[in-house]
Amino acid sequence: IVIDMQGAQSASRTRGIGRYSMAFAEALVRNRGTHEVWLALNGLFPETIMPIREAFAGLLPRHRVRVWEAPGPVAAIDGNRERRQRAELVYEAFLASLDPDIVHVTSLFEGFVDDAVTSIGALGRTFPTSVTLYDLIPLHDPDRFLRPNPTAEAHYLGKLDALRRADLLLAISDFTARDARDRLGLGEDLVVN
């Protein structure tokens, strides 16, 4: 089991997504039983690497906390489209190199204002992927959240496309699970709370 920890590294790290990502990973590691768990960290956030390593020091062997590197910057707000696309390939190739049975992405909707790199299926279907789904708020009021900024809208819609390629969505509430099923047309077996 590989957990992409960028939800605890990105601009979201000091908010609920960051706390939730850390709590989810810690709970999964503590309850792993005989399963092998790896944490994947983005090297474009160097200030976050040591705190996350320290948080898992007594829970995981050090070699199971891995850092991958891609050329930056890749923030969508500043353009960087081609570099970000290359970074997505590097990201997925790194994850595939760990030979995972499943990869869990703690926060897919990252990388607009920072150097987070998340994608699903950029290299094709190489491993099953689950995603924590917090909400679909921008879809509820696109005139407020998306349409005023075409770059933000394109980024969000690209992440929605990636989300649809996930094998499983772990919604943080019943409302979010129902919302994903209704707005994205996903089956009940693909979205769970």
Side-chain angles (χ1 to χ4, degrees):
I1 301 167
V2 177
I3 305 172
D4 170 1
M5 294 296 293
Q6 290 180 91
Q9 292 186 276
S10 68
S12 298
R13 74 180 172 269
T14 60
R15 299 190 306 265
I17 288 174
R19 290 186 299 275
Y20 193 94
S21 296
M22 285 296 288
F24 175 87
E26 287 176 15
L28 191 62
V29 167
R30 288 182 190 278
N31 294 287
R32 70 186 179 270
T34 60
H35 298 285
E36 198 174 278
V37 177
W38 296 72
L39 303 184
L41 304 179
N42 181 337
L44 292 172
F45 297 98
E47 71 283 0
T48 67
I49 293 169
M50 194 52 66
I52 293 173
R53 283 190 186 280
E54 289 172 1
F56 288 89
L59 302 173
L60 278 178
R62 184 171 173 82
H63 73 276
R64 292 231 186 111
V65 180
R66 300 285 303 274
V67 179
W68 62 276
E69 300 281 344
V74 295
I77 195 170
D78 297 326
N80 301 312
R81 186 169 93 36
E82 290 178 8
R83 189 178 303 121
R84 189 173 56 258
Q85 288 172 335
R86 286 190 299 272
E88 289 173 358
L89 296 174
V90 169
Y91 164 72
E92 290 191 24
F94 165 77
L95 294 173
S97 76
L98 298 175
D99 194 26
D101 291 316
I102 190 164
V103 171
H104 181 75
V105 179
T106 56
S107 187
L108 182 67
F109 291 86
E110 301 293 337
F112 183 65
V113 298
D114 59 31
D115 290 325
V117 178
T118 61
S119 61
I120 298 172
L123 284 177
R125 306 290 290 163
T126 56
F127 45 80
T129 305
S130 63
V131 175
T132 301
L133 180 62
Y134 300 93
D135 61 60
L136 295 170
I137 290 172
L139 291 181
H140 288 265
D141 193 355
D143 289 330
R144 177 177 173 200
F145 293 106
L146 299 175
R147 293 191 184 116
N149 185 336
T151 304
E153 182 175 30
H155 178 75
Y156 188 81
L157 294 177
K159 295 301 178 182
L160 277 181
D161 287 342
L163 187 70
R164 288 182 179 100
R165 290 190 294 272
D167 296 284
L168 181 66
L169 304 182
L170 305 179
I172 66 165
S173 68
D174 281 332
F175 173 81
T176 298
R178 281 192 312 276
D179 198 31
R181 288 185 206 113
D182 295 344
R183 290 185 182 276
L184 304 178
L186 301 175
E188 286 200 26
D189 58 328
L190 294 177
V191 186
V192 297
N193 175 14

